[in-house]
């Protein structure tokens, strides 16, 4: 792995090695305080973040490295109209690893084409969030012993919830996984995710009710309705508050079930659930820091590539997804990839029409 853009690109063996490393770090963090000494991480956050931004920063600091960057794009040259390409060419000249979050789908993929150092996708619009998946898998493995054989319920805004998309991609690498995808019909997973699950022969069922499936679950992964991604405010109003996990609903769940959430929570988990031993979302955030330490060690120590191959110059966007990075960066090459036999945008995965 040179970049981490999409969890689908991470071979199972490489994940297993990363988990082993994250586990060693958790058990004896003092042994790792110098492994990234002299290394510098760039943190480019074009979108709000608390956990992801802080956990990447603390991860690098705990490895003995340093960090620079911005959490407010208005304080960077984007505000002056600089292209993503130019920003990345310049920043990757200063840093050993670049962590990027943006509201445009496919941003990290686009950045990776122009970077001399590894790029990490810290969330690209409603598309993917693979490092949250490293936190999620670390939590499940640490607390349940393994991921194989589990029955998961993913609940909430599955259309716009990027953490869910990355987690589904990861689950294709494990054995005997079952999924209940719990969402209102209008917030069901995007077509490219359904095509991915079918292509990989994954067992999944789409349902609208949470309570009826709770007793079967080993993991319940709650997510927030992603207000900032709604084009139509009425659609948000119709769906907000649709799922609320309460102590009473948990009574029917297995005593060993894990309640997870990438956070931030709005109202989808009642506060009285926090003290239930099955509620592990705050631990999950802490495990995410250790998972990111393992990832940064892996990526920041790679040799620089100061002569990346030239990238074809695009002439017009081929993708019609209004949230795709190609809409605002027309020089990007026309990348296409097949998902379930359909031609899809190589940046945001939307089907090409
Ligand atoms: C998630 C995100 O940003 O996608 N948060 C996170 O990174 N922990 C989930 C969310 O915002 O709902």
């Amino acid at each position: 792995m040179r970049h981490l853009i999409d969890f689908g690109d991470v071979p199972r063996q490489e994940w297993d090695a990363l988990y082993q490393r994250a586990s060693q770090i958790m058990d004896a963090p003092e042994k790792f305080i110098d492994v990234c000494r002299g290394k510098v991480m760039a943190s480019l956050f074009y979108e709000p973040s608390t956990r992801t931004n802080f956990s990447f920063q603390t991860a690098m600091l705990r490895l003995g490295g340093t960090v620079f960057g911005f959490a407010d794009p208005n304080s960077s040259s984007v505000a002056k109209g600089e292209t993503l390409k130019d920003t990345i060419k310049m920043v990757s000249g200063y840093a050993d690893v670049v962590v990027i979050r943006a509201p445009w789908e496919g941003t990290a993929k686009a950045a990776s084409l122009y970077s001399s150092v590894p790029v990490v996708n810290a969330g690209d619009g409603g598309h993917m969030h693979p490092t949250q998946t490293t936190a999620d898998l670390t939590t499940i493995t640490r607390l349940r012993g393994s991921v194989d054989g589990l029955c998961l319920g993913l609940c909430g805004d599955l259309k716009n919830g990027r953490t869910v998309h990355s987690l589904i991609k990861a689950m294709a690498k494990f054995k005997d996984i079952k999924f209940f995808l719990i969402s209102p019909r209008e917030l069901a997973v995007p077509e490219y995710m359904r095509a991915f699950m079918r292509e990989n022969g994954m067992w999944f069922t789409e349902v609208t009710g949470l309570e009826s499936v709770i007793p079967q679950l080993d993991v319940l992964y709650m997510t927030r309705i992603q207000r900032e991604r709604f084009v139509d405010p009425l659609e948000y109003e119709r769906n907000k508050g649709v799922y609320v996990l309460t102590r009473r609903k948990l009574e029917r769940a297995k005593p060993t079930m894990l309640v997870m959430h990438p956070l931030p929570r709005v109202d989808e988990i009642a506060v009285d659930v926090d003290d239930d031993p099955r509620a592990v979302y705050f631990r999950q955030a802490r495990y995410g820091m250790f998972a990111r330490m393992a990832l940064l060690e892996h990526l920041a120590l790679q040799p620089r590539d100061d002569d990346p191959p030239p990238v074809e110059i695009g002439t017009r966007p081929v993708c019609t997804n209004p949230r795709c990075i190609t809409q605002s960066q027309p020089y990007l090459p026309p990348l296409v990839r097949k998902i379930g036999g359909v031609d899809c945008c190589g940046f945001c995965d939307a089907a090409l029409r």
Side-chain angles (χ1 to χ4, degrees):
M1 188 206 311
R2 170 132 180 97
H3 306 283
L4 177 53
I5 307 300
D6 182 331
F7 209 92
D9 304 334
V10 182
R12 169 74 190 262
Q13 270 185 329
E14 199 164 4
W15 163 251
D16 287 342
L18 272 177
Y19 175 74
Q20 289 308 326
R21 197 57 163 173
S23 231
Q24 289 166 353
I25 298 173
M26 275 189 253
D27 294 338
E30 68 285 355
K31 292 194 184 144
F32 296 84
I33 55 175
D34 271 331
V35 299
C36 282
R37 171 117 5 246
K39 297 294 174 189
V40 180
M41 179 186 96
S43 166
L44 312 182
F45 276 67
Y46 294 93
E47 208 185 40
S49 168
T50 311
R51 261 151 306 277
T52 307
N53 191 3
F54 286 172
S55 74
F56 264 111
Q57 294 199 36
T58 49
M60 195 49 158
L61 296 173
R62 283 169 181 272
L63 294 170
T66 50
V67 298
F68 75 99
F70 56 82
D72 170 11
N74 293 324
S75 67
S76 80
S77 281
V78 191
K80 299 182 192 164
E82 186 172 57
T83 61
L84 178 72
K85 174 181 176 178
D86 290 4
T87 304
I88 295 300
K89 284 229 161 253
M90 187 262 315
V91 167
S92 74
Y94 300 154
D96 298 295
V97 59
V98 175
V99 176
I100 185 164
R101 163 172 291 194
W104 318 289
E105 301 178 0
T107 301
K109 172 72 188 174
S112 71
L113 301 178
Y114 305 106
S115 178
S116 311
V117 299
V119 171
V120 181
N121 184 3
D124 60 329
H127 182 225
M128 294 291 159
H129 191 351
T131 70
Q132 179 62 43
T133 303
T134 66
D136 302 340
L137 295 179
T138 299
T139 306
I140 298 173
T141 316
R142 189 86 176 174
L143 300 178
R144 293 287 315 234
S146 109
V147 179
D148 293 320
L150 293 186
C151 177
L152 288 91
L154 306 182
C155 178
D157 183 351
L158 309 187
K159 176 182 174 191
N160 302 298
R162 54 194 174 191
T163 64
V164 166
H165 306 161
S166 287
L167 187 56
I168 293 175
K169 286 259 173 129
M171 287 304 157
K173 300 174 195 305
F174 295 89
K175 286 197 221 78
D176 305 323
I177 302 291
K178 283 186 177 178
F179 272 117
F180 285 100
L181 301 176
I182 310 155
S183 74
R185 278 195 186 86
E186 57 186 343
L187 299 184
V189 287
E191 195 43 48
Y192 65 80
M193 286 309 313
R194 220 171 272 124
F196 173 85
M197 290 187 284
R198 284 200 202 102
E199 189 175 34
N200 286 277
M202 298 171 80
W203 189 106
F204 70 98
T205 307
E206 298 186 78
V207 296
T208 52
L210 167 62
E211 280 174 77
S212 57
V213 300
I214 271 195
Q216 302 181 57
L217 305 177
D218 298 308
V219 173
L220 172 58
Y221 193 94
M222 296 296 293
T223 62
R224 163 179 83 86
I225 307 294
Q226 308 275 309
R227 181 181 204 152
E228 68 280 23
R229 310 263 179 246
F230 284 75
V231 184
D232 174 4
L234 287 178
E235 192 184 34
Y236 174 74
E237 289 302 317
R238 272 198 304 275
N239 289 296
K240 70 172 191 201
V242 59
Y243 299 110
V244 180
L245 182 66
T246 57
R247 210 164 236 237
R248 192 191 54 74
K249 288 182 193 162
L250 264 184
E251 280 167 15
R252 301 184 55 228
K254 292 182 187 173
T256 51
M257 186 187 80
L258 301 181
V259 181
M260 298 176 62
H261 193 308
L263 302 178
R265 131 177 83 177
V266 181
D267 55 5
E268 57 282 353
I269 301 182
V271 282
D272 66 1
V273 172
D274 296 357
D275 299 321
D276 188 295
R278 291 169 286 189
V280 299
Y281 27 90
F282 293 113
R283 259 193 281 173
Q284 181 185 352
R286 180 163 162 80
Y287 289 154
M289 177 182 71
F290 295 113
R292 289 181 174 107
M293 287 173 78
L295 179 71
L296 285 175
E297 180 196 12
H298 183 56
L299 295 180
L301 301 185
Q302 291 187 22
R304 301 181 56 82
D305 179 5
D306 278 317
D307 291 306
V311 179
E312 179 187 346
I313 298 173
T315 48
R316 61 182 177 87
V318 290
C319 178
T320 52
N321 171 9
R323 298 190 250 188
C324 179
I325 185 70
T326 57
Q327 301 295 332
S328 63
Q329 312 287 315
Y331 54 84
L332 287 171
L335 297 188
V336 177
R337 69 158 147 183
K338 284 236 188 279
I339 307 178
V342 175
D343 280 344
C344 295
C345 172
F347 294 93
C348 73
D349 290 335
L352 296 176
R353 290 174 235 280

